[in-house]
Amino acid sequence: MRSIHRFCISSSILAGAAMVASAPALADEQVRQFDVPGQAAKDGIVIFARQAGIQILAPGSATQGRRTAPLKGRFTVSDGLRRLAASGHLRLVSFDGRTAVLADAQSPDRPIDPPPARLRAAPRPLATPVAAQTVAPAPAASPSPVEAQDAPPPGIVGTEAIVVTGSTSGRRTQFNSSSNVTLANAAELQRKAPRSVAETLELVPGIFVEATAGPASNNYSVRGLRGGGQTFITLEQDGLPILYGGGGADFYFQQDLSVDRMEAVEGGTSGVLAPNGAGATINFISRKLNFDKLGGAVRVSGTTYSDFRADAYLSGPVSDGLAYSLSGYFWSQRGQRKSPFRYNSYQVKGQIEKRFDDDGFVRLTLQRRDERDPYYADMPFAVDSSGKIGSVPGTDLKYDNILGEAFRSIAVPDASATGNRLRTFSGKDGIHTTSWTYRIDMEKPLADGVKLFARARYLDGNYDFNGIFPGSGSGTAGLASAVDYLTPGNSPIASTLTAGAAAFPGTAQFGIRDTLTGKVIAASDTATLNALNGNGLLQQTVLNHQTLSTKDFGSNFGVTWDARSDAIQNSLTVGGMYYDVKHRNDQSAVATLINDVRNNSHIYDVVALSAGGEVLGQLTNNGMLSYGNWGQGIYNDHVESLSGYFNDELTINDKLHIDFGARYEHQHVAVNIGNTATVNEAVPAGTPGLAQDVGSTFDGTYTRYAASYHDWAYTAGINYELTPNVSLYLRGAKGFQTNGGDTGGTHAPTDLTLYEGGVRLRTSFLSASIVGFRTLFKNQSYQFINPSDPANAVNALANNTTNGVQLDAEVRPTRYFTITATGVYQVPRLNNLRFDGAAQTQYEGNTPERTPKKLLTVTPTFTLPHGLGEIYGRWKYVGKIFADAGNGVALPSYSVFTIGTNLNLSDQLNLAVSVDNLTNAKGFTEGNPRQGQTQTIVNGYFYGRAIAGRNAMASLTYRF
C-alpha cells in the first residue's frame, strides 16, 4: 500500500479545514406561488410537493377517498401545507423544512421513518445543506420529489421518489415505473467514493465498468454488449447529453458538489428521450438553487496516492425570484499508479435562475473546464505453468506505471501538410481537456396542465490525448530479452539491425543507450542485459497522440399536456431535438519505440558499436523505430441530427400504468478523410536514426464522404400494482446508436432491441427488484488495429444476443443495519461478425470480448445511533471475461473488498473515509485490444490492464 504516513498527513490537513458559516435556511420560511387544483388528496399532495420543492410522506390509508381544496396564491411553504392538509382532513405531524409528514386528522401520533433512497431505506442523511436535501432539482430538471401512493408499507416510502430520467409526466416512481430505474442520492454517491466518473456507473445493475484507465477515457458497457467502448450509453447533465454521440463524455464531466443525485434508466424510454442512449441513460442532476438564504458547502479531499482536491459550492438569492450558484474544484493528482508527473485541473460552473409567478423559469449556465488526467494502458503480465497471472519480475501490476520521465516530451517527425514537421508527444500532460459549455433551460406554463419547455447547450471543447500503448500492434512478439533484441537473426527488429550494419561500416556489435542517462550496454555484456530491471526484457510501445476539437450544439424542446379525472391521469409530451456536431481529428505521427519493462520505464536507442566499443551511429531516434504507424490520422466530420418524438404516460385507477413513445431521427453525416500520399514524406533534415520517412503521410488533400441516415426508436411498457407491496412490469423497446464518421467513412446506425420484465417487492423488511431481459444488438460497429497492417484500421460489424436476469435488493433486519445487493447474470453470444464485410465464422457463438457473465455487489451498512453517520463495507465480484473475440485469453474472476465510514462530526461537518481493494486483490479488465481479435499467451507473457491495488481516500465536508 502507498505511504500510510502520507495519508495520515493528508487526514491531518483535512481535519483543520473547517469553516464558519451561517445556519441553514429552511424551506418553511420560503414564500412561493402555488396553484394546486382541487383533486384527489394523493394527487394534490404530489402537485404541492413539486411546487414547494419538498418531500411529503403520507400513508395511503390517510389519503384514500379524500380530496383537497384548490390552493392558489403566494404562501410560505408551511402555511400552504397546513391549508392543503386541513382541506383534505389531514394533519401535519412534522415538518423540518425539508420533509413533511401528514396523517389522518383523527389518528394518533405515529412516527414515520425517514425517506430512503432508491428502492431501499437509508440512514439519516449526511450533513447536507437544505438545497441538497430535496429529492427534486430545479424545475427544469425535475418534477415532484415524492408521490404518495396507496398504503406503501411503513419505512419504504422512498420507492415513491419521482423518477425524472426516462419519464415525462413527473408522476412515475420506482415502484410503478415500467422501466429499470436506479436512483443514487448524494449520500450514496459519497458512500461509493468513486475514483472516476465511470466508477459511479457501477451503482447501476447490468453495467460493466472497466475503470482501469484513470480518471477519464474508461470503458463501460450494458447488458452483454462487448466491452471496450462507451456505446449505447448516454451520460447527461440535467437532462441533456454531455456529448451527442455518447462516447467520450467522461472527458468533459467530473462530479463536484453541484451534483445532487444520479438517476439511471436502462433501456425502455431511454432510447426515445435521449439520442444514443438505447442501452441506458445516466443523468447527473444538479442541486436546486437557493432562493431565500445563502447556503453552500466546502470539501477538501486527499488520498494515499498523493491526490489533493478542494471543492466548493455556493448558492443564494439576488432578489425576489432570482438566485445564483457557483461551484467548482481544483484538483492536483498523480493518479492511482506511480508517476513522476503531477496533473493539475480546475472546473468552474455558474448558474443564474429567474422564477416567475406562474412557475415558469429561465436558467443560464456557464461552465469552464481545464483538466489534465493520467492515462493507463496495457502492461505485460507473466503467466505461470498453472495459468496464474502475476507481475513480471521487477514490476508491480497493482501500482506500477510504464509511463515515466523518459516520455515527458518526445518530438515525432510528421507530414508537413499537418502544419507540424515535429509533433510533440507530451507524457507530462496526459489527457489535457479544455472546454466551455453554455446552456439555457426554460419552462413556461401556458394553461392548466399545459407547459412549454426548452433546453439547449453548446460545448466548445478540445482534448489532447498523450497515451502510451505498450505491446500495441507488435504484441508479445515485441516483448523479448534485451540479448535477443541485439542478436541479428533472433531479434524482433532483425531488419533494423541488418540495415544498421550496412549503414555504419565497421559495426562489430550492437548496443542499447539509455536516453535518460546516456549509458550504453553492449550486446556482449550479457550479464548486464539479463539483469536489466530484474527481468532483462525490452518491449515496443506505441506513442498515441490524438487531438480532437469538438463543437457540439444540442437542444430538446416541446410541450407537455397533463389531464386527469377521478379514474384516469394522462401526460403527453411532444417534442423535438436538434444537434449539430463538428469534429477535427489529428492522430498523425503515431510512433513505435523501444523501452524496458519497469515502473517509470526508460527508453533506449539501438546503437552500432565498433570493436572497441565506440558508438558509430544510432539506428533509432529517441528509441523510435518508425513513424505514422496508425495511418495518416487526419479527418474532420460534421453531423446534423433532427428528431421528433412523443411520450405518453397513462394511469388508470391508480393501479395500472401504461406508457408508450417513439422518436424518429434524421441524420446527415459528412466526413472529410485526409488522403495518404503515394510516396511517404522524408523526415526533417538532421533527424537521427534509420527511419528516413514519416511513414503514412497526409498529403494535404481530402476525400469527402456524405450520407443521410434515418431510424426509429420506439417503446411501450406496462406496470400493474398487484398490491401495495408488489408490482409487475413488462417493457419492449427498439433503439439505435448513431455512428457518425471517421477514417473509415460514414457509418449507418446500429440497432438494439430490448425485452424485459420484472417484479418489484416492498415491505418494511425487504425491498427488491428482479428483472429478466433479452437484448439484441444488430450490426454493432467498431474499429480495431490489425497487427499485420497497423496503418489501416479494420471496420468490424457484429451482432450480439444476451439473455439475463438482474437483481437490486435491500434487506433491513433492524433499524441500524441494512444489506444491499445488486447484480446480473447474463449469457451473451457473438454472431455474424464481419471484418471489412468479410464473414468471420470462426467467432460464431463466442462470448463477446471484455463482457462478464456475472456481476455482484453486496454492501452491508451499519447506521450509528443519534445520527452520527454510518460504517459500511462492500464486496464486488466480477466474473471471468475473455480478452478477445476469439476467446483465446481468459481473464479470471476477482473480488474487491471496500470499507468506509461517513461520520457526522456535527450537523454541518462530515468526515468520509474509504479504503478500496482492502485485500490488495489482483483483477484484470482487458487484454491487449490492439493485438487483434484473437490473442494468445506467448512464452508465458501477455499484455493487459489491471485494477489498482489497495488505496484510501478521505474527505472533510462543511455544509452551511
Side-chain angles (χ1 to χ4, degrees), residues 39-40 43 67 563-570 651 653-654:
Q39 58 197 298
D43 297 325
R67 297 183 63 83
R564 66 181 67 214
S565 65
D566 287 343
I568 296 177
Q569 301 175 52
N570 192 76
T651 298
N653 292 327
D654 299 329

Side-chain angles (χ1 to χ4, degrees), residues 3 24 97 552:
S3 173
D552 190 322

Side-chain angles (χ1 to χ4, degrees), residues 365-667:
T365 303
L366 175 65
Q367 180 174 285
R368 168 63 176 171
R369 285 174 51 80
D370 189 324
E371 180 124 5
R372 287 175 171 85
D373 294 310
Y375 176 78
Y376 312 122
D378 297 342
M379 62 187 297
F381 301 132
V383 182
D384 66 19
S385 58
S386 67
K388 184 178 179 181
I389 302 173
S391 300
V392 172
T395 69
D396 184 341
L397 63 82
K398 299 170 187 174
Y399 296 109
D400 281 356
N401 181 10
I402 298 296
L403 182 79
E405 187 63 41
F407 295 88
R408 174 181 288 272
S409 181
I410 300 173
V412 183
D414 199 1
S416 56
T418 66
N420 298 297
R421 286 300 277 132
L422 291 174
R423 192 165 189 241
T424 301
F425 176 91
S426 181
K428 65 180 177 61
D429 286 325
I431 305 173
H432 184 198
T433 306
T434 59
S435 65
W436 287 94
T437 302
Y438 311 86
R439 176 166 175 158
I440 183 170
D441 296 77
M442 60 180 67
E443 285 187 6
K444 173 63 178 177
L446 297 180
D448 186 24
V450 180
K451 176 182 65 178
L452 290 175
F453 65 88
R455 299 187 287 271
R457 61 108 182 97
Y458 176 70
L459 182 145
D460 187 352
N462 295 274
Y463 77 70
D464 186 344
F465 181 97
N466 298 269
I468 64 170
F469 291 83
S472 182
S474 63
T476 49
L479 180 66
S481 71
V483 171
D484 279 350
Y485 255 90
L486 299 178
T487 304
N490 293 334
S491 177
I493 56 169
S495 60
T496 300
L497 298 185
T498 300
F504 304 108
T507 298
Q509 63 176 330
F510 297 99
I512 54 174
R513 181 172 61 197
D514 191 320
T515 61
L516 287 178
T517 67
K519 180 181 178 181
V520 176
I521 307 174
S524 58
D525 189 0
T526 56
T528 301
L529 291 174
N530 287 330
L532 192 67
N533 304 316
N535 53 58
L537 296 172
L538 294 176
Q539 62 181 335
Q540 294 179 35
T541 292
V542 167
L543 305 178
N544 180 15
H545 186 191
Q546 180 185 18
T547 58
L548 183 69
S549 167
T550 299
K551 299 184 184 300
D552 190 322
F553 173 83
S555 61
N556 187 348
F557 46 87
V559 59
T560 297
W561 175 39
D562 292 324
R564 66 181 67 214
S565 65
D566 287 343
I568 296 177
Q569 301 175 52
N570 192 76
S571 179
L572 173 65
T573 295
V574 178
M577 303 176 191
Y578 176 71
Y579 288 86
D580 188 293
V581 184
K582 296 178 181 178
H583 296 122
R584 297 189 67 86
N585 181 82
D586 183 349
Q587 200 172 7
S588 60
V590 172
T592 300
L593 54 72
I594 297 173
N595 60 309
D596 58 14
V597 178
R598 53 170 287 184
N599 179 67
N600 192 3
S601 177
H602 287 211
I603 297 170
Y604 293 88
D605 272 320
V606 179
V607 294
L609 301 177
S610 68
E614 293 86 5
V615 174
L616 300 177
Q618 61 187 79
L619 285 64
T620 56
N621 169 23
N622 206 356
M624 291 180 285
L625 291 161
S626 57
Y627 319 110
N629 300 147
W630 286 2
Q632 54 82 28
I634 304 293
Y635 77 86
N636 58 74
D637 71 341
H638 183 195
V639 176
E640 284 189 278
S641 167
L642 180 63
S643 293
Y645 71 92
F646 79 91
N647 191 60
D648 192 87
E649 299 182 12
L650 174 67
T651 298
I652 302 174
N653 292 327
D654 299 329
K655 301 292 186 184
L656 180 63
H657 308 274
I658 302 171
D659 69 86
F660 51 94
R663 180 172 63 89
Y664 173 82
E665 180 173 355
H666 177 83
Q667 183 193 53

Side-chain angles (χ1 to χ4, degrees), residues 754-802:
L754 173 69
Y755 305 98
E756 62 181 300
V759 58
R760 296 187 175 107
L761 173 68
R762 57 180 188 180
T763 71
S764 58
F765 175 77
L766 171 67
S767 298
S769 173
I770 301 175
V771 179
F773 63 88
R774 177 175 173 82
T775 308
L776 306 174
F777 297 100
K778 184 179 179 181
N779 291 331
Q780 184 193 1
S781 174
Y782 62 97
Q783 290 187 317
F784 68 90
I785 300 298
N786 183 351
S788 63
D789 185 15
N792 295 294
V794 176
N795 289 301
L797 289 175
N799 298 344
N800 290 356
T801 300
T802 302

Side-chain angles (χ1 to χ4, degrees), residues 843-856:
Y843 299 103
E844 197 74 13
N846 283 1
T847 299
E849 63 187 278
R850 297 152 73 172
T851 303
K853 292 184 177 180
K854 301 175 186 177
L855 293 169
L856 180 62

